[in-house]
Amino acid sequence: MSRALSILKEVFGYPDFRGQQAEIIEHLVVGGDCLVLMPTGGGKSLCYQIPALLRKGVAIVVSPLIALMQNQVAALNEMGIDAAVLNSTLSFEEMRGVEQKLLNGDYDLLYVAPERLLTRHFLDLIAQIPLALFAIDEAHCVSQWGHDFRPEYNQLNILHVRFPNVPRIALTATADAVTRKEVIERLALHDAKVFLSSFDRPNIHYQIVDKVNSKQQLFSFIQTEYPRKAGIVYCLSRKKTEEIAAWLNAHGIPALAYHAGMSSDQRAQNQEKFLRDESCVMVATIAFGMGIDKPDVRFVAHLDMPKSIEGYYQETGRAGRDGQQASAWMAYGLNDVIQQRRMIEESKAGARFKQVATKKLEAMLALCETTACRRAQLLGYLGETIAFTACGNCDVCLNPPKTWNATVAVQKALSCVYRTGQQFGAGHLIDILRGNRTGRVEQWRHDQISTFGIGRDLSIKNWRAIFRQLIAHGLLTTSYEGYGALCLTDASRVVLKERRDVFLRQPAEYKQLERAGQKGDELLVRGSHEQRLWDRLRDWRAETANELGVPAYVVFHDVTLKEFVRQCPQTEDELLRITGVGTHKLDKYGGQLIEILRNAECRDS
Ligand code: ADP
Ligand code: ZN
């Protein structure tokens, strides 16, 4: 293991292993198979990259994502590691070139797309050379139930059949037990050791706000917390992604759209821009995301509620891979609840599917409405036993929501539903409660009923929050016929009959919360000298990355730049002690960096 540690230090420039990395590497180096379940940003890649360098032969890495492979290989090359990609973007000649080098034993790692790997040509080719290991990245792609399903992944057990002595490592950030079982089955990993990490992402701050004017709310969130930073905004519809992107651009926040309805060229182009740019917001449907390994995504915002906690966790997990402070922010309202329920009701799937989907939605709603720690609820749902009740880094912990005794209002709302025959949506019901004589109210003579005007004391916003929570708590449900018509449930009948007290959450306004380790780089960049140095380093990094045609983070991560500013190293030895600086990068950039740092006068200030 001392060899693994010295590679970590010299090549990658990191002082210590994280989490289970050391154990996994040790297991793989001696030829054991394993399945690694680790959250996004946990550091999965090192688990096979270091064994690839330690074992004889080339490591074959299977990955479903072309853009991801290319950036990973660029990052490895930057560290002086011999790695290459074999996928459909190469010309015939280039492919031949790579194959020749492969046969010559020139590579430590080769990244291939699954369809290429499975060709007889390729399998025969690698049968002629020593193989260090097989790494199967994004292993959850074998799961037919997930939306990342890749049919080729199901044939990857051929690796085991054909090369029984080559160790395999499968990796995924998908936590649930069902997927885990499927991966083991389909990849024939029955004898593999399973390394399961906690799925907590402590650097991600969770915040869910009441939706009022979501565009404006999003704007203030980005503007106050992450101006000029990279982020992802998820929306449900293609049209909305384009609308929001245009709106952000018009308001001075550079944004791009991404959805499955765009041409694949356009999508690839926008993705590439997002990966390279340090301060771009991507407004996307969930078609965007798997394998986005951009480490400096500072926030993930949801303008529409995801269908399930699994989805929410996966999407928000794309923030803060570099371990630096990041946010998961969501605006959620009554319409989200109704829309999601309607989508389930209207889907053509069978009863079983609808039942499962409803359960998942209910769990998601419970997370939105919780008055306890979001992180505890999230991890509990993912099946983790948690040792804390308050994480200290979510909106609920930092700003505990107030509850109020809403019994009277709830009774008014429920009896209004009852008196109108359980055939109307929240908008109409609120009109009645607030005594609003609309055409529709008059048409149905709802100004004649006893609940007309009995809720004038509360605003529309308050009533919407009440209806939303009634649905979330199962005191109202949407009917199968009729658009969003609300009906009573068994639970609401009990509340009405027994006059039981109901406490609801008071609307939480958006508020910037003071939290541990907050303020990203600004916190570290205190004086004007430091600010100048930081800007100078960022410019240098952008130029360098541009020349190489790679994303800036491939040259150095933000974390490394911050340490340059903080420690202001003046010699090669001092540079090497900084996280993210390995010997190769030192040789390549040490001179330029020392020049910048010596001119920075940071030490005299
Ligand atoms: P995953 O694939 O699990 O999402 P990555 O392998 O991309 O995670 O690693 C996430 C980030 O953490 C990367 O930027 C990587 O360089 C960094 N990293 C990984 N291991 C370590 C370590 N031991 N020390 C410091 N940084 C690390
Ligand atoms: Zn919390």
Side-chain angles (χ1 to χ4, degrees), residues 281-295:
V281 174
M282 183 67 106
V283 188
T285 60
I286 52 169
F288 180 71
M290 188 193 30
I292 294 303
D293 71 337
K294 187 173 168 63

Side-chain angles (χ1 to χ4, degrees), residues 202-406:
N203 61 315
I204 298 183
H205 169 76
Y206 296 95
Q207 183 166 32
I208 301 178
V209 302
D210 286 14
K211 199 185 270 185
V212 186
N213 172 351
S214 53
K215 261 193 243 164
Q216 196 59 51
Q217 286 172 296
L218 174 70
F219 178 79
S220 357
F221 162 69
I222 298 178
Q223 214 45 2
T224 28
E225 300 205 27
Y226 299 103
R228 298 181 308 282
K229 291 284 155 59
I232 304 173
V233 177
Y234 281 111
C235 304
L236 218 51
S237 75
R238 298 170 179 187
K239 195 166 141 248
K240 190 164 168 186
T241 60
E242 293 186 352
E243 246 171 60
I244 300 286
W247 191 87
L248 288 175
N249 277 316
H251 289 76
I253 296 179
L256 296 166
Y258 187 104
H259 57 74
M262 292 161 57
S263 73
S264 59
D265 276 356
Q266 185 67 56
R267 260 184 305 173
Q269 202 185 331
N270 284 5
Q271 167 161 332
E272 190 59 28
K273 257 199 225 153
F274 174 74
L275 291 177
R276 296 218 171 159
D277 203 320
E278 293 164 60
S279 57
C280 173
V281 174
M282 183 67 106
V283 188
T285 60
I286 52 169
F288 180 71
M290 188 193 30
I292 294 303
D293 71 337
K294 187 173 168 63
D296 53 358
V297 174
R298 292 273 64 89
F299 66 88
V300 169
H302 280 92
L303 287 182
D304 294 303
M305 181 179 65
K307 289 196 246 311
S308 65
I309 293 188
E310 288 94 336
Y312 174 75
Y313 178 79
Q314 206 173 51
E315 286 143 35
T316 53
R318 292 171 187 140
R321 265 189 187 230
D322 54 9
Q324 303 288 295
Q325 193 273 322
S327 283
W329 180 92
M330 172 156 91
Y332 134 95
L334 177 61
N335 284 349
D336 288 293
V337 186
I338 292 179
Q339 187 178 31
Q340 289 286 2
R341 290 198 59 104
R342 193 185 296 160
M343 275 165 53
I344 298 175
E345 284 154 15
E346 287 175 355
S347 93
K348 299 202 169 55
R352 172 90 188 104
F353 172 87
K354 288 188 176 180
Q355 220 174 11
V356 173
T358 306
K359 278 253 158 342
K360 287 184 188 278
L361 178 60
E362 279 164 3
M364 185 67 221
L365 291 176
L367 177 68
C368 293
E369 298 292 354
T370 185
T371 48
C373 173
R374 307 246 192 233
R375 192 181 310 276
Q377 181 136 349
L378 189 65
L379 294 174
Y381 178 86
L382 295 177
E384 269 185 43
T385 337
I386 28 195
F388 60 86
T389 47
C391 73
N393 191 21
C394 74
D395 54 352
V396 177
C397 285
L398 291 167
N399 186 27
K402 298 189 181 67
T403 54
W404 62 295
N405 187 334

Side-chain angles (χ1 to χ4, degrees), residues 518-560:
Q518 202 205 353
K519 299 218 175 98
D521 41 54
E522 273 73 34
L523 189 71
L524 288 158
V525 183
R526 284 183 219 95
S528 58
H529 282 305
E530 292 187 335
Q531 183 65 50
R532 264 204 300 275
L533 177 55
W534 171 253
D535 292 341
R536 176 80 194 88
L537 288 166
R538 290 224 332 175
D539 289 346
W540 171 81
R541 179 176 69 174
E543 279 161 32
T544 311
N546 233 344
E547 274 166 31
L548 293 168
V550 297
Y553 65 79
V554 166
V555 178
F556 283 117
H557 281 187
D558 281 357
V559 197
T560 306

